[in-house]
Amino acid sequence: MSRLFSTGSILGAGGSSKMASNFRKVTHCIFDMDGLLLDTEKIYERILGDLIKSYNSTYPWATRMKVLGTTEQRTVSIIVNDLKLSCTVDEFLKKFRQKQLVELGGAPLMRGAEKLIRHLHENNIPIAVATSSGADSVEVKTKNHQDIFNLFHHKVMGSSDAEVKEGKPAPDIFLVAASRFPDKPNPDQCLVFEDAPNGVTAGVAAGMQVVMVPDPHIEEDRRKQATVVLESLEHFKPEMFGLPAFK
């Protein structure tokens, strides 16, 4: 089974050299967090599913796809309005945030995440996190992985950062993340890592190349904007984008 895909092409796990010239060299990397670095999506799905069920409704696939990668406020707004729940957005958001703080602390790292982050840090590649989550949620989710998350130069948390005016799929969060590196790289010098279609759209709109590691259930046509699609971060080849190769 091929594990590395580029737009319009399929490559095997060891066949990247022929395609490398199609990708721009980058100097900085920006990572989404949920579903990309941390395996939180199943936990989120359970939290939201239980909350929605308490309002005598179900959580359809179409709505799940809409909320992937969005800010907490946007997620809740979509759910309450799409499903016509008998509560306000603020009421649902309050319950959602309370449940997050209880249940998200045990989220494990995704496959390949630690190896890649440590590799980039050891090779002095500036790295940042750009997550749609808020600061309180990020603190809970990362508390058991501080040795990894302390390697990032900075974190931009879209649900609580005043500079992020519009959440994904708008490009704001990635442009803010790039601007907070000391050398303020141009967008085309940054490589985004994402799992959600909304995040991919945001990265592309920011003028950045995007490595996508999608949930297997995400349809093919929702992967097309990505520069490269991977089965997992384990299969990322840094040298394709001019970054130091794994030893």
Side-chain angles (χ1 to χ4, degrees):
M1 178 178 182
S2 294
R3 291 187 170 88
L4 190 151
F5 308 83
S6 70
T7 307
S9 304
I10 299 179
L11 301 173
S16 62
S17 58
K18 197 166 115 180
M19 294 293 300
S21 61
N22 289 352
F23 306 124
R24 295 193 307 268
K25 183 182 187 303
V26 299
T27 54
H28 298 63
C29 294
I30 303 174
F31 290 80
D32 175 49
M33 187 172 69
D34 292 295
L36 187 279
L37 296 178
L38 286 175
D39 192 2
T40 55
E41 293 302 338
K42 292 183 181 66
I43 302 173
Y44 271 120
E45 192 170 311
R46 185 178 69 247
I47 291 171
L48 289 168
D50 288 348
L51 280 173
I52 291 165
K53 188 177 180 180
S54 73
Y55 291 99
N56 299 310
S57 187
T58 57
Y59 193 15
W61 182 252
T63 303
R64 295 181 198 189
M65 288 296 99
K66 279 188 187 180
V67 305
L68 268 183
T70 61
T71 62
E72 294 166 3
Q73 295 94 327
R74 182 67 181 142
T75 291
V76 170
S77 178
I78 290 169
I79 287 172
V80 170
N81 291 305
D82 269 25
L83 305 182
K84 296 178 171 53
L85 301 183
S86 58
C87 63
T88 66
V89 170
D90 286 344
E91 287 168 348
F92 194 100
L93 183 59
K94 183 178 179 181
K95 292 180 180 180
F96 178 45
R97 285 177 168 165
Q98 287 171 341
K99 281 185 168 287
Q100 282 187 65
L101 299 181
V102 172
E103 299 189 32
L104 286 168
L109 290 166
M110 297 291 282
R111 285 187 300 140
E114 180 172 358
K115 179 184 177 183
L116 177 56
I117 296 308
R118 290 194 183 280
H119 171 74
L120 294 173
H121 182 263
E122 288 166 4
N123 284 277
N124 299 311
I125 303 301
I127 52 177
V129 169
T131 174
S132 294
S133 296
D136 288 350
S137 172
V138 170
E139 183 178 352
V140 170
K141 286 181 278 194
T142 62
K143 68 179 181 181
N144 294 330
H145 308 289
Q146 285 299 300
D147 56 331
I148 300 301
F149 283 93
N150 285 338
L151 300 179
F152 289 93
H153 180 268
H154 59 276
K155 303 177 189 70
V156 180
M157 292 159 278
S159 291
S160 56
D161 193 307
E163 278 194 63
V164 181
K165 304 300 182 186
E166 297 288 338
K168 303 171 187 176
D172 302 32
I173 194 167
F174 292 121
L175 295 173
V176 169
S179 74
R180 291 183 185 170
F181 287 115
D183 54 347
K184 300 188 184 305
N186 291 327
D188 65 3
Q189 295 176 282
C190 299
L191 182 63
V192 166
F193 292 80
E194 265 285 355
D195 67 302
N198 282 323
V200 173
T201 300
V204 171
M208 303 174 183
Q209 296 175 101
V210 183
V211 174
M212 186 184 195
V213 188
D215 181 287
H217 297 100
I218 291 177
E219 299 89 346
E220 193 65 35
D221 65 346
R222 303 204 71 196
R223 307 177 181 201
K224 289 180 179 177
Q225 280 189 294
T227 310
V228 170
V229 178
L230 301 178
E231 185 180 298
S232 84
L233 288 174
E234 290 178 307
H235 305 301
F236 177 63
K237 296 182 180 299
E239 62 272 23
M240 294 178 70
F241 294 91
L243 298 167
F246 288 111
K247 293 178 182 177

